[in-house]
Amino acid sequence: MVAGGMLPLVLGTVGVLLLYRVLVRLRAGAAIQDAVVVITGASSGLGKECARVFHAAGARLVLCGRDASRLQAVVQELTESLSDMQRQTHTPCVVTFDLADTDTVESAAEEVLRCYGQVDVLINNAGISYRGSILETHLSVQRNVMDTNYFGPVALTQAILPSMVRRRSGHIVVISSVQGKIAIPYRSAYAASKHATQAYFDCLRAEVERYGIPVTVISPGYIRTNLSLNAVTGDGSKYGVLDKTTATGRDPGDVARAVLKAVRQRSKDVLLAETLPTLAVYLRTLWPALFFKLMSSRARKEEKPKAE
C-alpha cells in the first residue's frame, strides 16, 4: 500500500518538474525577440551562421569584425531574407575593430553600447587557429594567438560587463573548443589560448552569478569552416590547408543553432563533440597516463603538422 501510494506522488512530481522545465524554456526562448545580441567574428564561418539564426529569432544584432565590407555583405544578406521571416526582425548594426588590438577594444565597446544602449547577449566568437611545432614557433606567434583568442575576448567582456552589472541583466557567451579541455600535438598556441579562455570564463561565471548574469562556455569539435585554412604557422604565415577533420566537421549552421539553444536555456558549459573527442576529455581526467601516451603516439606519427 505504501508503494502503491507513493507511485502517484512520484509520477506527479516528475510531471510538475517536466512542466516547469518546458515553461522555463518557453520563457527563455521568448526573450531572444528584441534582445541585443553582439557577435564577434560575424563576417564568416560560425559567426555568420550565429548572425543568421539569432536574426531569424528576432534579435537586434551588433555584428563585429575587422572587415567593414564583409560585415555589410552579411547585413545585406540578412535583410534580403526578411520576406521569409515569420517574426519581426531588425536590421543589424555593424562595429568594425580588430579584437587582437586590445588598446582599441574599449572604444569599440563604447560604440557597441551606443548601437542600442545596452547589450543583452555578448557572443565572443572571433578566433584564430594555429598549426606548428613548438620548436619552430616564434614567441610572437604564440602572443598573437593569445591576443586574438584570449586577451581580445577578455578585454571586450570586461568593457561590456559593467553595463550588465548595473542592469542586473545580460548573458556572456564564449566559443571555446574541445582543445580548451584537452591538448593535442602541434596545436600548442591554440590549445593554450582555449585553456586560458575556459579558466577565465569559469571564474567569471562564479563571480557574476549574484548579479543574475549567466556565463556560457561552448566547446565545439571540428566545424566545416575556413579556420584551418586561415590558421597561422610557427613563422606567422598562413597554414592554407583544409584539414580532413575540418572538411568533415559539423555543419556551422547546426553549431549556431546549438549556440542559440544554449543561450535560451542559459547553459553553463556545452561540449559539442563527436564520440572520440568526448571520450578523450573524460580520459584526460580519469586516466591521464593513458591519455598522455596516446598523445605522444600521435605526435610521433605526425612529426609535423599536416592535413589530417
Side-chain angles (χ1 to χ4, degrees):
M1 291 180 63
V2 174
M6 288 294 293
L7 183 59
L9 179 61
V10 171
L11 292 176
T13 302
V14 170
V16 169
L17 289 174
L18 289 175
L19 179 61
Y20 173 76
R21 290 184 66 182
V22 170
L23 291 174
V24 167
R25 290 184 181 184
L26 288 175
R27 182 182 178 186
I32 300 299
Q33 179 70 49
D34 300 326
V36 178
V37 178
V38 179
I39 304 172
T40 65
S43 62
S44 63
L46 179 58
K48 182 177 179 179
E49 292 301 320
C50 283
R52 197 189 311 277
V53 299
F54 278 89
H55 178 258
R60 292 180 288 173
L61 296 180
V62 182
L63 305 181
C64 304
R66 294 178 298 176
D67 191 322
S69 61
R70 294 178 66 187
L71 289 174
Q72 289 297 342
V74 175
V75 171
Q76 182 176 353
E77 183 178 329
L78 294 178
T79 54
E80 286 175 351
S81 65
L82 289 176
S83 59
D84 299 328
M85 300 301 171
Q86 297 180 350
R87 69 180 73 207
Q88 181 185 1
T89 58
H90 308 273
T91 302
C93 181
V94 167
V95 177
T96 306
F97 66 102
D98 185 354
L99 195 65
D101 185 0
T102 54
D103 291 336
T104 66
V105 170
E106 187 170 350
S107 60
E110 293 173 357
E111 188 177 349
V112 165
L113 286 167
R114 284 196 294 270
C115 288
Y116 295 105
Q118 66 187 56
V119 172
D120 297 306
V121 182
L122 169 60
I123 301 178
N124 290 292
N125 164 76
I128 186 171
S129 192
Y130 155 89
R131 304 286 191 277
S133 163
I134 291 174
L135 288 172
E136 300 171 353
T137 298
H138 298 168
L139 185 60
S140 60
V141 173
Q142 301 275 3
R143 284 176 172 154
N144 178 49
V145 175
M146 288 296 292
D147 281 341
T148 302
N149 292 357
Y150 176 70
F151 286 110
V154 166
L156 183 59
T157 296
Q158 293 191 181
I160 296 292
L161 189 60
S163 65
M164 291 184 173
V165 170
R166 285 193 296 270
R167 296 171 54 234
R168 293 296 197 275
S169 179
H171 190 160
I172 303 292
V173 180
V174 61
I175 308 299
S176 183
S177 168
V178 171
Q179 292 182 54
K181 299 179 180 293
I182 58 174
I184 63 177
Y186 305 112
R187 307 290 190 276
S188 61
Y190 183 75
S193 69
K194 293 302 185 179
H195 271 69
T197 295
Q198 179 79 52
Y200 173 88
F201 285 92
D202 281 353
C203 291
L204 179 65
R205 182 187 301 110
E207 293 182 23
V208 300
E209 184 178 9
R210 65 182 180 273
Y211 301 116
I213 301 172
V215 174
T216 301
V217 177
I218 299 178
S219 301
Y222 294 106
I223 308 173
R224 288 200 309 271
T225 67
N226 290 331
L227 191 65
S228 69
L229 282 171
N230 296 323
V232 293
T233 63
D235 62 3
S237 61
K238 278 193 177 183
Y239 182 57
V241 176
L242 183 62
D243 291 338
K244 181 180 178 181
T245 48
T246 301
T248 58
R250 287 181 179 237
D251 182 274
D254 290 341
V255 178
R257 285 185 284 274
V259 174
L260 176 61
K261 180 180 178 181
V263 171
R264 282 178 164 158
Q265 296 182 0
R266 297 177 172 86
S267 303
K268 291 180 172 61
D269 196 80
V270 180
L271 180 62
L272 296 173
E274 303 303 326
T275 302
L276 285 179
T278 301
L279 289 175
V281 171
Y282 289 104
L283 187 65
R284 172 64 177 82
T285 301
L286 301 175
W287 198 351
L290 178 57
F291 175 83
F292 297 146
K293 186 174 182 179
L294 292 172
M295 291 300 104
S296 295
S297 175
R298 174 172 176 157
R300 285 193 297 270
K301 288 178 181 178
E302 292 190 14
E303 292 186 0
K304 61 180 179 179
K306 60 184 178 181
E308 299 173 354

